Amino acid sequence: MMIPARDNMPPPDLVRIRCALLSTFDKRGLVPFATALYGWGISLVSSGGTARHLRKAGLAVHDVSSVTNSPELLGGRVKTLHPNVHGGILYRRGDPQDEADLSSLGIQAIDMVVVNLYPFGLAAAQDDVTDATAAENIDIGGPAMARAAAKNFAYVAAVSSPADYDAVLSELNSNGGALTLETRRGLALVTFARTGAYDRRITRYLAGTREPLPRTYDMHVPLGQVLRYGENPHQAAAFYGDLDAACEQLHGKALSYNNLADADAALALIAEFRHAPPTVAILKHTNPCGVASADSLEEAYAGAFATDTMSPFGGIVVMNRPCTLAAAEAISRIFTEIIIAPAFEADALTFLKKKKHRRLLRAAGMPRQPWEARHVLGGVLCQERDAPLGKSLADPLQCATRRKPTAAEMRDLDFAWRVTKHVKSNAIVYAKAQRTLGIGAGQMSRIDASEIAVRKARKSGLDLTGSVVASDAFFPFADGLLAAIESGARAAVQPGGSVRDEEVIAAANEHDIAMVFTGRRHFRH
């Protein structure tokens, strides 16, 4: 049963602001904002550090204690949790009972609440945070006042961030010290979003200290930008989050839904090569179609491109070093949708900007949630991210065959395994001399994936003799390995773990093939 409204009288459009309560942790922009409020004849009520900050700037401020007729308690934990404060905020103008209550108790109406909260998220993110420190940074009075003001948006303005100050002052100036219902309602919306996100951060902290997976999947991400459309033109789409935290767009058209999906895949792949020599990857539809490491980026690009000379058209190029002019010139020989690098040398950037619509992204790192989610069957699948590999595959690597890989083969097995981790399953990658030779992706059969990889290599005129082969999951039968051997592979890397491992190992030994087990698979459905 819901609580009915006391009456259905429409709220006023314009509300003249006469009293504002200010209690902020973040003091940025507060003095100019409060000065402007004071200039409109608005009475300022404040507490603790906020009152001291405003008085230091020369503003006349009434203490909250003069409103509550009570001193601050518990070292400042209790200041504003009082009927004289919340009554003034929640009072319904014109309501006979509310008018009588305020009159009998001498409570002053509060028309604006300017509150921002203790930095719980910052405190909880510290490596050495304790429960005591985290708890001390949980704001109680701030969210209570902010939510009270937002609940009573019919009469009260809830200003919950310095980001709101300019818009509020602009409207006060336009309306002679008054705010419209539309503005008050909009401020309420963002206030509830902020306090809701704040509570979710606390929930995640408390759950994270006790549980390997959150008891409730809850992710609050603000709208970043509306996109032209989704995967297809008939689908509406938007990006939620802070794109600038991952990459800065330096040039070109706005990124599309598919661009963003490809860029995410590209950044995840290149993270595997953060300790490697100059490395370039070319991707199409989130799958790598060529990857290579070399002495220079332009050499690496040439190696990656040679893997598949048809698919890169309209694709994405990502690199692990600042883009040079030589690399930029090599990439520009065909149409490339997006180029991503940790930086661009000045002459390279000037050259690349000559193409009006080509997107250039400067990677700013890869901020990632520890979990990733996918919506299925009306619910959400949530899993720990498959984190980038370390410098070496030495642990828990196990050589399963009589012949051990040579040093060169081991380097190529490491390289191929890192690429395979980012190829859709079933995935097969052939590599040699730190470059891919053939990639088979997204097939229902591992044999099909291998045949596609071999066909692509041969179509590009590449010789698989002496190559290594990587499989994202175990070979369920010896036929998959035998197909790779027949194509020229001399070493293999796979997770192991099949009931027929002994059969596959025997086939490798019979053909003098070195095969290593990683003990870990990398399915990408």
Side-chain angles (χ1 to χ4, degrees):
M1 179 179 177
M2 66 179 184
I3 300 171
R6 188 171 294 176
D7 60 55
N8 292 311
M9 289 291 291
D13 181 42
L14 286 175
V15 167
R16 178 76 163 82
I17 307 300
R18 292 181 171 83
C19 178
L21 191 157
L22 304 95
S23 179
T24 65
F25 184 89
D26 185 348
K27 305 294 192 295
R28 289 177 299 171
L30 181 63
V31 168
F33 182 66
T35 301
L37 296 181
Y38 189 77
W40 277 105
I42 298 171
S43 175
L44 306 180
V45 178
S46 191
S47 65
T50 305
R52 290 191 294 273
H53 183 74
L54 295 175
R55 286 198 182 100
K56 188 176 179 180
L59 290 166
V61 180
H62 302 284
D63 279 317
V64 163
S65 58
S66 70
V67 174
T68 63
N69 298 313
S70 174
E72 295 182 6
L73 301 177
L74 310 180
R77 277 192 167 192
V78 179
K79 297 189 287 284
T80 59
L81 296 170
H82 193 280
N84 287 7
V85 172
H86 286 271
I89 296 171
L90 288 165
Y91 149 56
R92 287 160 289 201
R93 280 65 168 167
D95 181 274
Q97 183 175 327
D98 285 8
E99 296 280 1
D101 286 345
L102 261 67
S103 177
S104 66
L105 296 171
I107 296 174
Q108 177 186 356
I110 296 171
D111 309 302
M112 176 184 289
V113 173
V114 183
V115 168
N116 56 65
L117 311 180
Y118 295 167
F120 176 82
L122 183 63
Q126 302 304 307
D127 291 336
D128 57 351
V129 67
T130 63
D131 280 354
T133 299
E136 202 61 35
N137 281 274
I138 296 175
D139 203 330
I140 301 299
M145 288 190 293
R147 288 172 60 85
K151 172 184 172 107
N152 205 24
F153 67 85
Y155 310 100
V156 180
V159 183
S160 54
S161 169
D164 302 328
Y165 294 168
D166 287 346
V168 169
L169 289 181
S170 176
E171 181 152 319
L172 287 172
N173 291 332
S174 298
N175 297 323
L179 294 176
T180 64
L181 176 60
E182 181 182 7
T183 292
R184 300 191 308 273
R185 198 176 195 282
L187 289 168
L189 170 64
V190 297
T191 294
F192 279 118
R194 286 171 182 146
T195 58
Y198 192 78
D199 287 342
R200 279 185 282 269
R201 282 193 289 270
I202 297 169
T203 302
R204 283 198 296 271
Y205 170 80
L206 293 172
T209 58
R210 294 166 174 80
E211 299 175 338
L213 282 167
R215 184 173 299 178
T216 300
Y217 177 78
D218 189 1
M219 187 175 178
H220 180 81
V221 185
L223 176 66
Q225 64 186 84
V226 176
L227 306 174
R228 288 179 60 202
Y229 52 79
E231 280 186 286
N232 301 290
H234 64 277
Q235 295 171 271
F239 174 81
Y240 291 82
D242 183 5
L243 185 58
D244 291 339
C247 55
E248 177 188 5
Q249 185 166 356
L250 304 178
H251 180 69
K253 294 189 299 184
L255 295 166
S256 70
Y257 182 100
N258 293 331
N259 291 155
L260 290 167
D262 284 334
D264 180 76
L267 288 169
L269 190 157
I270 207 66
E272 305 288 350
F273 296 94
R274 60 201 183 282
H275 304 300
T279 301
V280 173
I282 306 170
L283 293 91
K284 196 76 171 289
H285 307 310
T286 74
N287 266 313
C289 44
V291 186
S293 297
D295 292 334
S296 67
L297 289 175
E298 58 269 29
E299 291 177 83
Y301 176 77
F305 181 75
T307 305
D308 182 345
T309 57
M310 294 184 66
S311 299
F313 185 86
I316 288 186
V317 172
V318 64
M319 58 198 77
N320 68 347
R321 295 283 194 282
C323 183
T324 62
L325 178 60
E329 289 173 337
I331 294 167
S332 290
R333 290 181 189 128
I334 67 163
F335 169 62
T336 299
E337 191 83 43
I338 303 174
I339 301 173
I340 308 175
F344 291 81
E345 294 182 0
D347 53 357
L349 189 59
T350 300
F351 173 80
L352 290 170
K353 282 185 173 181
K354 291 178 181 178
K355 294 280 187 174
K356 181 180 178 181
H357 297 305
R358 177 165 46 203
R359 287 94 160 175
L360 305 178
L361 303 182
R362 178 163 54 205
M366 197 56 185
R368 287 181 176 273
Q369 297 285 341
W371 312 103
E372 58 185 6
R374 178 183 297 181
H375 291 263
V376 297
L377 302 174
V380 178
L381 285 174
C382 188
Q383 68 173 353
E384 188 179 11
R385 283 193 177 273
D386 196 358
L389 299 170
K391 283 188 176 182
S392 167
L393 299 184
D395 183 27
L397 207 61
Q398 170 197 352
C399 183
T401 51
R402 287 193 295 265
R403 185 172 81 78
K404 290 181 170 51
T406 65
E409 287 171 341
M410 193 61 237
R411 286 192 297 272
D412 287 338
L413 289 169
D414 181 295
F415 175 89
W417 187 243
R418 292 173 190 274
V419 176
T420 305
K421 184 170 177 277
H422 296 271
V423 177
K424 293 290 178 68
S425 300
N426 284 313
I428 294 289
V429 172
Y430 288 86
K432 184 178 180 181
Q434 301 293 280
R435 54 174 285 198
T436 52
L437 300 178
I439 299 174
Q443 298 306 304
M444 291 67 75
S445 156
R446 204 155 296 278
I447 292 289
D448 289 343
S450 184
E451 288 176 350
I452 288 172
V454 171
R455 187 167 71 246
K456 281 182 171 289
R458 289 173 178 166
K459 191 172 184 178
S460 298
L462 301 175
D463 185 2
L464 296 178
T465 303
S467 64
V468 305
V469 64
S471 173
D472 63 331
F474 56 68
F475 287 106
F477 301 95
D479 57 359
L481 180 65
L482 291 171
I485 294 169
E486 184 179 342
S487 300
R490 293 290 299 151
V493 56
Q494 59 141 317
S498 168
V499 294
R500 292 184 172 83
D501 272 352
E502 293 305 317
E503 175 187 328
V504 178
I505 293 168
N509 284 331
E510 182 180 348
H511 292 83
D512 196 30
I513 297 299
M515 184 166 61
V516 296
F517 288 170
T518 65
R520 177 176 294 181
R521 74 184 189 196
H522 292 293
F523 276 156
R524 291 183 68 81
H525 280 85

